[in-house]
Amino acid sequence: MKLIMLGAPGAGKGTQAKKIAEKYQIPHISTGDIFRANIKGQTELGMKAKSFMDQGMLVPDEITIGMLLDRIHEADCAGGYVLDGFPRTIPQAESLTKALAEMGTGIDYAINVDVPDDNIVSRMSGRRACLNCGATYHVAFNPPKTENVCNTCGQSLVLRDDDKPETVKKRLDVYHQQTQPLIDYYKKAGVLKEVDGTQNMEDVFQSIIKVLGAE
Ligand code: ADP
Ligand code: AMP
């Protein structure tokens, strides 16, 4: 199964993608996580991406598309995957469609996790991330067992630089301008599924399972 998670920054794409990946035993591929791992490892790709990310802008397509296409050609992707944070622009979506067509396949579902802008700022300001293993928490909605410590790997949690309110506003503008048109793109392709992302995390997940037809 090949899935795409659509939705505003902070809508819950990563939270749900992790649950989907676990249930269906497919890799969770987050372009944001790949960029953050490269920033941590101080690679050339990471250095290029960081300046854009810190400003709440998208990393240019020339960098992002090749990186994602390389990843989905790896062996563990043969049985499908869930993409989180890609595509974010029409050219990214078109490149993905073309690459998959060349492989004789296509996306099964694009799931739009719908959350209004008003809810987004509180979700992002409360998000705490583990930059070691990629786990994500929320101070109120999904707190770790010990304050500021990752349940999975024990490292300290951080407020991502790009989750500060001034950057969140910019990221939302970028989302509306460049990423929201993908909802129409995948609707026209006949694979769009809409889910109400304002429900609690477990109910959002149940809604996704239902639309995937697994129940
Ligand atoms: P995205 O990957 O779309 O940017 P995340 O999955 O990281 O978003 O979620 C953003 C923040 O909101 C996180 O702190 C997460 O714990 C929290 N969150 C995710 N889903 C829900 C939900 N259904 N209700 C409340 N908070 C949520
Ligand atoms: P995320 O972890 O999905 O919230 O992404 C964090 C940041 O990484 C975004 O604000 C962008 O700067 C960058 N990024 C992640 N995925 C993409 C993408 N598909 N295209 C461009 N930039 C991206």
Side-chain angles (χ1 to χ4, degrees):
M1 183 156 52
K2 297 183 197 67
L3 303 176
I4 291 173
M5 304 304 292
L6 294 176
K13 301 180 297 296
T15 301
Q16 298 302 326
K18 287 188 183 75
K19 286 167 160 299
I20 293 168
E22 200 183 345
K23 179 173 170 73
Y24 295 98
Q25 292 292 298
I26 50 177
H28 164 213
I29 301 176
S30 154
T31 39
D33 282 354
I34 299 174
F35 286 134
R36 282 183 288 278
N38 274 278
I39 292 171
K40 199 165 172 237
Q42 298 188 327
T43 69
E44 202 185 321
L45 177 82
M47 293 307 102
K48 277 190 198 150
K50 185 172 169 31
S51 55
F52 296 100
M53 291 170 75
D54 285 351
Q55 293 175 67
M57 290 162 62
L58 295 184
V59 179
D61 286 345
E62 305 85 84
I63 299 175
T64 310
I65 292 172
M67 179 184 89
L68 186 279
L69 295 185
D70 283 350
R71 178 66 188 88
I72 61 170
H73 280 87
E74 286 177 27
D76 65 330
C77 290
Y81 38 78
V82 50
L83 300 183
D84 160 18
F86 187 99
R88 263 180 156 105
T89 64
I90 292 283
Q92 289 182 15
E94 287 171 342
S95 303
L96 178 64
T97 302
K98 184 165 171 278
L100 290 177
E102 282 165 9
M103 295 162 83
T105 183
I107 286 299
D108 295 300
Y109 299 109
I111 302 167
N112 184 40
V113 183
D114 187 29
V115 176
D117 287 9
D118 289 353
N119 301 30
I120 293 290
V121 179
S122 73
R123 285 216 187 163
M124 309 268 275
S125 58
R127 171 157 64 184
R128 294 293 178 273
C130 176
L131 296 183
N132 185 48
C133 74
T136 305
Y137 302 87
H138 190 283
V139 289
F141 306 131
N142 180 27
K145 288 188 188 112
T146 308
E147 200 181 318
N148 243 16
V149 176
C150 180
N151 292 349
T152 313
C153 73
Q155 296 286 309
S156 297
L157 303 176
V158 296
L159 171 66
R160 278 167 42 181
D161 284 341
D162 61 346
D163 280 350
K164 304 202 164 122
E166 57 281 14
T167 317
V168 169
K169 164 95 186 47
K170 170 77 186 160
R171 291 172 70 197
L172 273 172
D173 289 346
V174 167
Y175 167 75
H176 289 302
Q177 270 182 25
Q178 300 198 56
T179 308
Q180 208 169 12
L182 296 180
I183 297 175
D184 238 33
Y185 179 92
Y186 285 107
K187 194 184 274 174
K188 285 190 184 128
V191 295
L192 185 77
K193 300 281 179 186
E194 297 269 7
V195 164
D196 175 6
T198 63
Q199 309 169 87
N200 69 46
M201 290 173 201
E202 194 46 42
D203 288 350
V204 177
F205 186 51
Q206 292 309 322
S207 303
I208 292 174
I209 291 175
K210 217 175 265 173
V211 300
L212 295 182
E215 267 191 352

PDB file of all heavy atoms in Angstrom, residues 164-197:
ATOM      1  N   LYS A 164       8.247  27.739  16.506  1.00  0.00           N
ATOM      2  CA  LYS A 164       8.004  28.980  17.239  1.00  0.00           C
ATOM      3  C   LYS A 164       6.913  29.765  16.498  1.00  0.00           C
ATOM      4  O   LYS A 164       6.865  29.727  15.259  1.00  0.00           O
ATOM      5  CB  LYS A 164       9.302  29.782  17.352  1.00  0.00           C
ATOM      6  CG  LYS A 164      10.367  28.891  18.015  1.00  0.00           C
ATOM      7  CD  LYS A 164      11.498  29.601  18.672  1.00  0.00           C
ATOM      8  CE  LYS A 164      12.196  28.609  19.592  1.00  0.00           C
ATOM      9  NZ  LYS A 164      13.620  28.429  19.286  1.00  0.00           N
ATOM     10  N   PRO A 165       5.997  30.436  17.265  1.00  0.00           N
ATOM     11  CA  PRO A 165       4.797  31.011  16.642  1.00  0.00           C
ATOM     12  C   PRO A 165       5.053  31.865  15.402  1.00  0.00           C
ATOM     13  O   PRO A 165       4.315  31.768  14.427  1.00  0.00           O
ATOM     14  CB  PRO A 165       4.180  31.851  17.764  1.00  0.00           C
ATOM     15  CG  PRO A 165       4.657  31.205  19.009  1.00  0.00           C
ATOM     16  CD  PRO A 165       6.013  30.624  18.716  1.00  0.00           C
ATOM     17  N   GLU A 166       6.132  32.666  15.393  1.00  0.00           N
ATOM     18  CA  GLU A 166       6.346  33.540  14.230  1.00  0.00           C
ATOM     19  C   GLU A 166       6.633  32.704  12.971  1.00  0.00           C
ATOM     20  O   GLU A 166       6.203  33.059  11.864  1.00  0.00           O
ATOM     21  CB  GLU A 166       7.445  34.584  14.497  1.00  0.00           C
ATOM     22  CG  GLU A 166       8.821  34.081  14.890  1.00  0.00           C
ATOM     23  CD  GLU A 166       8.966  33.654  16.375  1.00  0.00           C
ATOM     24  OE1 GLU A 166       7.947  33.490  17.087  1.00  0.00           O
ATOM     25  OE2 GLU A 166      10.114  33.460  16.799  1.00  0.00           O
ATOM     26  N   THR A 167       7.326  31.572  13.138  1.00  0.00           N
ATOM     27  CA  THR A 167       7.639  30.729  11.984  1.00  0.00           C
ATOM     28  C   THR A 167       6.416  29.903  11.571  1.00  0.00           C
ATOM     29  O   THR A 167       6.205  29.637  10.389  1.00  0.00           O
ATOM     30  CB  THR A 167       8.829  29.788  12.306  1.00  0.00           C
ATOM     31  OG1 THR A 167       9.807  30.534  13.001  1.00  0.00           O
ATOM     32  CG2 THR A 167       9.434  29.197  11.054  1.00  0.00           C
ATOM     33  N   VAL A 168       5.600  29.519  12.553  1.00  0.00           N
ATOM     34  CA  VAL A 168       4.386  28.738  12.251  1.00  0.00           C
ATOM     35  C   VAL A 168       3.478  29.529  11.315  1.00  0.00           C
ATOM     36  O   VAL A 168       2.923  28.988  10.351  1.00  0.00           O
ATOM     37  CB  VAL A 168       3.636  28.373  13.548  1.00  0.00           C
ATOM     38  CG1 VAL A 168       2.259  27.803  13.230  1.00  0.00           C
ATOM     39  CG2 VAL A 168       4.450  27.375  14.363  1.00  0.00           C
ATOM     40  N   LYS A 169       3.356  30.830  11.565  1.00  0.00           N
ATOM     41  CA  LYS A 169       2.497  31.680  10.727  1.00  0.00           C
ATOM     42  C   LYS A 169       2.977  31.636   9.273  1.00  0.00           C
ATOM     43  O   LYS A 169       2.205  31.450   8.344  1.00  0.00           O
ATOM     44  CB  LYS A 169       2.526  33.100  11.319  1.00  0.00           C
ATOM     45  CG  LYS A 169       2.044  34.209  10.485  1.00  0.00           C
ATOM     46  CD  LYS A 169       0.567  34.525  10.788  1.00  0.00           C
ATOM     47  CE  LYS A 169      -0.048  35.560   9.859  1.00  0.00           C
ATOM     48  NZ  LYS A 169       0.175  35.408   8.443  1.00  0.00           N
ATOM     49  N   LYS A 170       4.289  31.750   9.106  1.00  0.00           N
ATOM     50  CA  LYS A 170       4.877  31.706   7.750  1.00  0.00           C
ATOM     51  C   LYS A 170       4.629  30.332   7.118  1.00  0.00           C
ATOM     52  O   LYS A 170       4.275  30.231   5.938  1.00  0.00           O
ATOM     53  CB  LYS A 170       6.387  32.001   7.873  1.00  0.00           C
ATOM     54  CG  LYS A 170       7.191  31.759   6.625  1.00  0.00           C
ATOM     55  CD  LYS A 170       7.006  32.880   5.628  1.00  0.00           C
ATOM     56  CE  LYS A 170       7.698  32.544   4.305  1.00  0.00           C
ATOM     57  NZ  LYS A 170       7.203  33.309   3.191  1.00  0.00           N
ATOM     58  N   ARG A 171       4.800  29.270   7.903  1.00  0.00           N
ATOM     59  CA  ARG A 171       4.617  27.921   7.353  1.00  0.00           C
ATOM     60  C   ARG A 171       3.173  27.694   6.918  1.00  0.00           C
ATOM     61  O   ARG A 171       2.914  27.012   5.931  1.00  0.00           O
ATOM     62  CB  ARG A 171       5.040  26.872   8.395  1.00  0.00           C
ATOM     63  CG  ARG A 171       6.540  26.884   8.638  1.00  0.00           C
ATOM     64  CD  ARG A 171       6.929  25.994   9.782  1.00  0.00           C
ATOM     65  NE  ARG A 171       6.761  24.596   9.466  1.00  0.00           N
ATOM     66  CZ  ARG A 171       6.724  23.627  10.385  1.00  0.00           C
ATOM     67  NH1 ARG A 171       6.796  23.923  11.667  1.00  0.00           N
ATOM     68  NH2 ARG A 171       6.608  22.380  10.013  1.00  0.00           N
ATOM     69  N   LEU A 172       2.233  28.286   7.667  1.00  0.00           N
ATOM     70  CA  LEU A 172       0.822  28.153   7.280  1.00  0.00           C
ATOM     71  C   LEU A 172       0.553  28.883   5.963  1.00  0.00           C
ATOM     72  O   LEU A 172      -0.170  28.369   5.101  1.00  0.00           O
ATOM     73  CB  LEU A 172      -0.092  28.701   8.379  1.00  0.00           C
ATOM     74  CG  LEU A 172      -0.465  27.698   9.466  1.00  0.00           C
ATOM     75  CD1 LEU A 172      -1.212  28.402  10.595  1.00  0.00           C
ATOM     76  CD2 LEU A 172      -1.307  26.558   8.909  1.00  0.00           C
ATOM     77  N   ASP A 173       1.155  30.074   5.806  1.00  0.00           N
ATOM     78  CA  ASP A 173       0.992  30.814   4.535  1.00  0.00           C
ATOM     79  C   ASP A 173       1.537  29.977   3.377  1.00  0.00           C
ATOM     80  O   ASP A 173       0.906  29.859   2.330  1.00  0.00           O
ATOM     81  CB  ASP A 173       1.764  32.151   4.570  1.00  0.00           C
ATOM     82  CG  ASP A 173       1.107  33.158   5.498  1.00  0.00           C
ATOM     83  OD1 ASP A 173      -0.053  32.931   5.893  1.00  0.00           O
ATOM     84  OD2 ASP A 173       1.763  34.164   5.836  1.00  0.00           O
ATOM     85  N   VAL A 174       2.729  29.413   3.593  1.00  0.00           N
ATOM     86  CA  VAL A 174       3.357  28.594   2.552  1.00  0.00           C
ATOM     87  C   VAL A 174       2.469  27.392   2.239  1.00  0.00           C
ATOM     88  O   VAL A 174       2.259  27.028   1.077  1.00  0.00           O
ATOM     89  CB  VAL A 174       4.768  28.138   2.999  1.00  0.00           C
ATOM     90  CG1 VAL A 174       5.320  27.051   2.097  1.00  0.00           C
ATOM     91  CG2 VAL A 174       5.722  29.322   3.054  1.00  0.00           C
ATOM     92  N   TYR A 175       1.898  26.794   3.287  1.00  0.00           N
ATOM     93  CA  TYR A 175       1.001  25.641   3.084  1.00  0.00           C
ATOM     94  C   TYR A 175      -0.169  26.028   2.176  1.00  0.00           C
ATOM     95  O   TYR A 175      -0.455  25.339   1.195  1.00  0.00           O
ATOM     96  CB  TYR A 175       0.483  25.112   4.438  1.00  0.00           C
ATOM     97  CG  TYR A 175      -0.672  24.157   4.244  1.00  0.00           C
ATOM     98  CD1 TYR A 175      -0.445  22.862   3.776  1.00  0.00           C
ATOM     99  CD2 TYR A 175      -1.987  24.567   4.456  1.00  0.00           C
ATOM    100  CE1 TYR A 175      -1.512  21.999   3.531  1.00  0.00           C
ATOM    101  CE2 TYR A 175      -3.047  23.711   4.218  1.00  0.00           C
ATOM    102  CZ  TYR A 175      -2.808  22.430   3.750  1.00  0.00           C
ATOM    103  OH  TYR A 175      -3.850  21.583   3.487  1.00  0.00           O
ATOM    104  N   HIS A 176      -0.833  27.149   2.517  1.00  0.00           N
ATOM    105  CA  HIS A 176      -2.022  27.522   1.735  1.00  0.00           C
ATOM    106  C   HIS A 176      -1.666  27.823   0.284  1.00  0.00           C
ATOM    107  O   HIS A 176      -2.402  27.459  -0.620  1.00  0.00           O
ATOM    108  CB  HIS A 176      -2.736  28.714   2.383  1.00  0.00           C
ATOM    109  CG  HIS A 176      -3.416  28.315   3.669  1.00  0.00           C
ATOM    110  ND1 HIS A 176      -4.373  27.326   3.716  1.00  0.00           N
ATOM    111  CD2 HIS A 176      -3.257  28.737   4.940  1.00  0.00           C
ATOM    112  CE1 HIS A 176      -4.773  27.166   4.973  1.00  0.00           C
ATOM    113  NE2 HIS A 176      -4.110  28.002   5.735  1.00  0.00           N
ATOM    114  N   GLN A 177      -0.503  28.456   0.103  1.00  0.00           N
ATOM    115  CA  GLN A 177      -0.121  28.825  -1.269  1.00  0.00           C
ATOM    116  C   GLN A 177       0.350  27.637  -2.092  1.00  0.00           C
ATOM    117  O   GLN A 177      -0.035  27.477  -3.235  1.00  0.00           O
ATOM    118  CB  GLN A 177       1.029  29.821  -1.222  1.00  0.00           C
ATOM    119  CG  GLN A 177       0.554  31.265  -1.172  1.00  0.00           C
ATOM    120  CD  GLN A 177       1.749  32.203  -1.178  1.00  0.00           C
ATOM    121  OE1 GLN A 177       2.831  31.874  -1.656  1.00  0.00           O
ATOM    122  NE2 GLN A 177       1.561  33.372  -0.612  1.00  0.00           N
ATOM    123  N   GLN A 178       1.215  26.813  -1.502  1.00  0.00           N
ATOM    124  CA  GLN A 178       1.927  25.826  -2.330  1.00  0.00           C
ATOM    125  C   GLN A 178       1.444  24.394  -2.148  1.00  0.00           C
ATOM    126  O   GLN A 178       1.567  23.583  -3.059  1.00  0.00           O
ATOM    127  CB  GLN A 178       3.423  25.879  -2.017  1.00  0.00           C
ATOM    128  CG  GLN A 178       3.999  27.255  -2.298  1.00  0.00           C
ATOM    129  CD  GLN A 178       5.505  27.199  -2.422  1.00  0.00           C
ATOM    130  OE1 GLN A 178       6.036  26.457  -3.233  1.00  0.00           O
ATOM    131  NE2 GLN A 178       6.190  27.947  -1.591  1.00  0.00           N
ATOM    132  N   THR A 179       0.923  24.053  -0.977  1.00  0.00           N
ATOM    133  CA  THR A 179       0.616  22.643  -0.712  1.00  0.00           C
ATOM    134  C   THR A 179      -0.873  22.338  -0.823  1.00  0.00           C
ATOM    135  O   THR A 179      -1.259  21.261  -1.302  1.00  0.00           O
ATOM    136  CB  THR A 179       1.153  22.235   0.681  1.00  0.00           C
ATOM    137  OG1 THR A 179       2.529  22.609   0.764  1.00  0.00           O
ATOM    138  CG2 THR A 179       1.044  20.735   0.910  1.00  0.00           C
ATOM    139  N   GLN A 180      -1.727  23.273  -0.389  1.00  0.00           N
ATOM    140  CA  GLN A 180      -3.170  23.002  -0.427  1.00  0.00           C
ATOM    141  C   GLN A 180      -3.673  22.606  -1.828  1.00  0.00           C
ATOM    142  O   GLN A 180      -4.562  21.741  -1.926  1.00  0.00           O
ATOM    143  CB  GLN A 180      -3.935  24.222   0.092  1.00  0.00           C
ATOM    144  CG  GLN A 180      -5.249  23.830   0.716  1.00  0.00           C
ATOM    145  CD  GLN A 180      -5.893  24.991   1.474  1.00  0.00           C
ATOM    146  OE1 GLN A 180      -5.475  26.145   1.365  1.00  0.00           O
ATOM    147  NE2 GLN A 180      -6.907  24.672   2.235  1.00  0.00           N
ATOM    148  N   PRO A 181      -3.103  23.191  -2.914  1.00  0.00           N
ATOM    149  CA  PRO A 181      -3.562  22.768  -4.256  1.00  0.00           C
ATOM    150  C   PRO A 181      -3.425  21.265  -4.508  1.00  0.00           C
ATOM    151  O   PRO A 181      -4.063  20.727  -5.418  1.00  0.00           O
ATOM    152  CB  PRO A 181      -2.662  23.566  -5.210  1.00  0.00           C
ATOM    153  CG  PRO A 181      -2.255  24.779  -4.428  1.00  0.00           C
ATOM    154  CD  PRO A 181      -2.143  24.312  -3.004  1.00  0.00           C
ATOM    155  N   LEU A 182      -2.623  20.581  -3.696  1.00  0.00           N
ATOM    156  CA  LEU A 182      -2.470  19.134  -3.899  1.00  0.00           C
ATOM    157  C   LEU A 182      -3.757  18.375  -3.570  1.00  0.00           C
ATOM    158  O   LEU A 182      -3.972  17.260  -4.057  1.00  0.00           O
ATOM    159  CB  LEU A 182      -1.335  18.582  -3.026  1.00  0.00           C
ATOM    160  CG  LEU A 182       0.059  19.114  -3.366  1.00  0.00           C
ATOM    161  CD1 LEU A 182       1.092  18.504  -2.445  1.00  0.00           C
ATOM    162  CD2 LEU A 182       0.397  18.809  -4.811  1.00  0.00           C
ATOM    163  N   ILE A 183      -4.616  18.976  -2.745  1.00  0.00           N
ATOM    164  CA  ILE A 183      -5.880  18.312  -2.412  1.00  0.00           C
ATOM    165  C   ILE A 183      -6.673  18.103  -3.700  1.00  0.00           C
ATOM    166  O   ILE A 183      -7.175  17.009  -3.967  1.00  0.00           O
ATOM    167  CB  ILE A 183      -6.683  19.138  -1.374  1.00  0.00           C
ATOM    168  CG1 ILE A 183      -5.890  19.219  -0.058  1.00  0.00           C
ATOM    169  CG2 ILE A 183      -8.063  18.531  -1.146  1.00  0.00           C
ATOM    170  CD1 ILE A 183      -6.535  20.103   1.008  1.00  0.00           C
ATOM    171  N   ASP A 184      -6.715  19.146  -4.518  1.00  0.00           N
ATOM    172  CA  ASP A 184      -7.409  19.060  -5.800  1.00  0.00           C
ATOM    173  C   ASP A 184      -6.706  18.106  -6.764  1.00  0.00           C
ATOM    174  O   ASP A 184      -7.356  17.361  -7.494  1.00  0.00           O
ATOM    175  CB  ASP A 184      -7.441  20.460  -6.421  1.00  0.00           C
ATOM    176  CG  ASP A 184      -8.856  20.882  -6.677  1.00  0.00           C
ATOM    177  OD1 ASP A 184      -9.739  20.481  -5.887  1.00  0.00           O
ATOM    178  OD2 ASP A 184      -9.075  21.602  -7.674  1.00  0.00           O
ATOM    179  N   TYR A 185      -5.388  18.154  -6.730  1.00  0.00           N
ATOM    180  CA  TYR A 185      -4.582  17.294  -7.622  1.00  0.00           C
ATOM    181  C   TYR A 185      -4.926  15.820  -7.378  1.00  0.00           C
ATOM    182  O   TYR A 185      -5.178  15.063  -8.320  1.00  0.00           O
ATOM    183  CB  TYR A 185      -3.089  17.556  -7.359  1.00  0.00           C
ATOM    184  CG  TYR A 185      -2.141  16.716  -8.186  1.00  0.00           C
ATOM    185  CD1 TYR A 185      -1.651  17.162  -9.406  1.00  0.00           C
ATOM    186  CD2 TYR A 185      -1.725  15.466  -7.723  1.00  0.00           C
ATOM    187  CE1 TYR A 185      -0.780  16.382 -10.160  1.00  0.00           C
ATOM    188  CE2 TYR A 185      -0.844  14.676  -8.472  1.00  0.00           C
ATOM    189  CZ  TYR A 185      -0.380  15.147  -9.688  1.00  0.00           C
ATOM    190  OH  TYR A 185       0.480  14.364 -10.427  1.00  0.00           O
ATOM    191  N   TYR A 186      -4.985  15.439  -6.093  1.00  0.00           N
ATOM    192  CA  TYR A 186      -5.246  14.029  -5.794  1.00  0.00           C
ATOM    193  C   TYR A 186      -6.740  13.695  -5.886  1.00  0.00           C
ATOM    194  O   TYR A 186      -7.103  12.548  -6.108  1.00  0.00           O
ATOM    195  CB  TYR A 186      -4.622  13.635  -4.443  1.00  0.00           C
ATOM    196  CG  TYR A 186      -3.124  13.505  -4.606  1.00  0.00           C
ATOM    197  CD1 TYR A 186      -2.256  14.454  -4.082  1.00  0.00           C
ATOM    198  CD2 TYR A 186      -2.575  12.460  -5.347  1.00  0.00           C
ATOM    199  CE1 TYR A 186      -0.882  14.368  -4.281  1.00  0.00           C
ATOM    200  CE2 TYR A 186      -1.208  12.356  -5.547  1.00  0.00           C
ATOM    201  CZ  TYR A 186      -0.368  13.318  -5.013  1.00  0.00           C
ATOM    202  OH  TYR A 186       0.987  13.220  -5.237  1.00  0.00           O
ATOM    203  N   LYS A 187      -7.596  14.728  -5.709  1.00  0.00           N
ATOM    204  CA  LYS A 187      -9.034  14.495  -5.928  1.00  0.00           C
ATOM    205  C   LYS A 187      -9.253  14.122  -7.394  1.00  0.00           C
ATOM    206  O   LYS A 187      -9.926  13.143  -7.719  1.00  0.00           O
ATOM    207  CB  LYS A 187      -9.821  15.764  -5.571  1.00  0.00           C
ATOM    208  CG  LYS A 187     -11.309  15.531  -5.437  1.00  0.00           C
ATOM    209  CD  LYS A 187     -12.070  16.826  -5.177  1.00  0.00           C
ATOM    210  CE  LYS A 187     -12.122  17.178  -3.699  1.00  0.00           C
ATOM    211  NZ  LYS A 187     -12.740  18.492  -3.449  1.00  0.00           N
ATOM    212  N   LYS A 188      -8.621  14.906  -8.280  1.00  0.00           N
ATOM    213  CA  LYS A 188      -8.753  14.632  -9.725  1.00  0.00           C
ATOM    214  C   LYS A 188      -8.186  13.262 -10.079  1.00  0.00           C
ATOM    215  O   LYS A 188      -8.670  12.597 -10.988  1.00  0.00           O
ATOM    216  CB  LYS A 188      -8.046  15.718 -10.538  1.00  0.00           C
ATOM    217  CG  LYS A 188      -8.836  17.014 -10.569  1.00  0.00           C
ATOM    218  CD  LYS A 188      -8.262  18.013 -11.555  1.00  0.00           C
ATOM    219  CE  LYS A 188      -9.029  19.326 -11.470  1.00  0.00           C
ATOM    220  NZ  LYS A 188      -8.170  20.490 -11.293  1.00  0.00           N
ATOM    221  N   ALA A 189      -7.147  12.842  -9.365  1.00  0.00           N
ATOM    222  CA  ALA A 189      -6.539  11.526  -9.627  1.00  0.00           C
ATOM    223  C   ALA A 189      -7.403  10.396  -9.058  1.00  0.00           C
ATOM    224  O   ALA A 189      -7.114   9.218  -9.278  1.00  0.00           O
ATOM    225  CB  ALA A 189      -5.133  11.483  -9.030  1.00  0.00           C
ATOM    226  N   GLY A 190      -8.442  10.762  -8.288  1.00  0.00           N
ATOM    227  CA  GLY A 190      -9.385   9.760  -7.772  1.00  0.00           C
ATOM    228  C   GLY A 190      -8.902   8.996  -6.550  1.00  0.00           C
ATOM    229  O   GLY A 190      -9.437   7.930  -6.231  1.00  0.00           O
ATOM    230  N   VAL A 191      -7.884   9.523  -5.843  1.00  0.00           N
ATOM    231  CA  VAL A 191      -7.343   8.784  -4.690  1.00  0.00           C
ATOM    232  C   VAL A 191      -7.477   9.552  -3.364  1.00  0.00           C
ATOM    233  O   VAL A 191      -6.995   9.083  -2.333  1.00  0.00           O
ATOM    234  CB  VAL A 191      -5.855   8.397  -4.907  1.00  0.00           C
ATOM    235  CG1 VAL A 191      -5.710   7.413  -6.054  1.00  0.00           C
ATOM    236  CG2 VAL A 191      -4.984   9.629  -5.150  1.00  0.00           C
ATOM    237  N   LEU A 192      -8.152  10.707  -3.399  1.00  0.00           N
ATOM    238  CA  LEU A 192      -8.223  11.527  -2.180  1.00  0.00           C
ATOM    239  C   LEU A 192      -9.212  10.955  -1.160  1.00  0.00           C
ATOM    240  O   LEU A 192     -10.326  10.567  -1.513  1.00  0.00           O
ATOM    241  CB  LEU A 192      -8.643  12.962  -2.527  1.00  0.00           C
ATOM    242  CG  LEU A 192      -8.626  13.890  -1.312  1.00  0.00           C
ATOM    243  CD1 LEU A 192      -7.201  14.299  -0.970  1.00  0.00           C
ATOM    244  CD2 LEU A 192      -9.485  15.122  -1.544  1.00  0.00           C
ATOM    245  N   LYS A 193      -8.789  10.914   0.109  1.00  0.00           N
ATOM    246  CA  LYS A 193      -9.674  10.555   1.223  1.00  0.00           C
ATOM    247  C   LYS A 193      -9.559  11.656   2.277  1.00  0.00           C
ATOM    248  O   LYS A 193      -8.444  12.043   2.632  1.00  0.00           O
ATOM    249  CB  LYS A 193      -9.257   9.213   1.848  1.00  0.00           C
ATOM    250  CG  LYS A 193      -9.299   8.036   0.885  1.00  0.00           C
ATOM    251  CD  LYS A 193     -10.705   7.539   0.697  1.00  0.00           C
ATOM    252  CE  LYS A 193     -10.760   6.376  -0.285  1.00  0.00           C
ATOM    253  NZ  LYS A 193     -12.123   5.961  -0.592  1.00  0.00           N
ATOM    254  N   GLU A 194     -10.700  12.131   2.757  1.00  0.00           N
ATOM    255  CA  GLU A 194     -10.704  13.222   3.741  1.00  0.00           C
ATOM    256  C   GLU A 194     -10.979  12.672   5.135  1.00  0.00           C
ATOM    257  O   GLU A 194     -11.880  11.837   5.303  1.00  0.00           O
ATOM    258  CB  GLU A 194     -11.826  14.221   3.413  1.00  0.00           C
ATOM    259  CG  GLU A 194     -11.674  14.929   2.081  1.00  0.00           C
ATOM    260  CD  GLU A 194     -10.916  16.240   2.189  1.00  0.00           C
ATOM    261  OE1 GLU A 194     -10.390  16.548   3.285  1.00  0.00           O
ATOM    262  OE2 GLU A 194     -10.857  16.935   1.161  1.00  0.00           O
ATOM    263  N   VAL A 195     -10.229  13.171   6.121  1.00  0.00           N
ATOM    264  CA  VAL A 195     -10.430  12.745   7.507  1.00  0.00           C
ATOM    265  C   VAL A 195     -10.473  13.998   8.391  1.00  0.00           C
ATOM    266  O   VAL A 195      -9.692  14.929   8.191  1.00  0.00           O
ATOM    267  CB  VAL A 195      -9.267  11.807   7.934  1.00  0.00           C
ATOM    268  CG1 VAL A 195      -9.204  11.654   9.419  1.00  0.00           C
ATOM    269  CG2 VAL A 195      -9.412  10.461   7.266  1.00  0.00           C
ATOM    270  N   ASP A 196     -11.380  14.003   9.379  1.00  0.00           N
ATOM    271  CA  ASP A 196     -11.482  15.135  10.309  1.00  0.00           C
ATOM    272  C   ASP A 196     -10.354  15.033  11.343  1.00  0.00           C
ATOM    273  O   ASP A 196     -10.402  14.202  12.251  1.00  0.00           O
ATOM    274  CB  ASP A 196     -12.867  15.089  10.989  1.00  0.00           C
ATOM    275  CG  ASP A 196     -13.010  16.154  12.063  1.00  0.00           C
ATOM    276  OD1 ASP A 196     -12.093  16.993  12.208  1.00  0.00           O
ATOM    277  OD2 ASP A 196     -14.044  16.140  12.763  1.00  0.00           O
ATOM    278  N   GLY A 197      -9.353  15.906  11.195  1.00  0.00           N
ATOM    279  CA  GLY A 197      -8.178  15.849  12.060  1.00  0.00           C
ATOM    280  C   GLY A 197      -8.347  16.549  13.391  1.00  0.00           C
ATOM    281  O   GLY A 197      -7.408  16.590  14.185  1.00  0.00           O
TER     282      GLY A 197
END
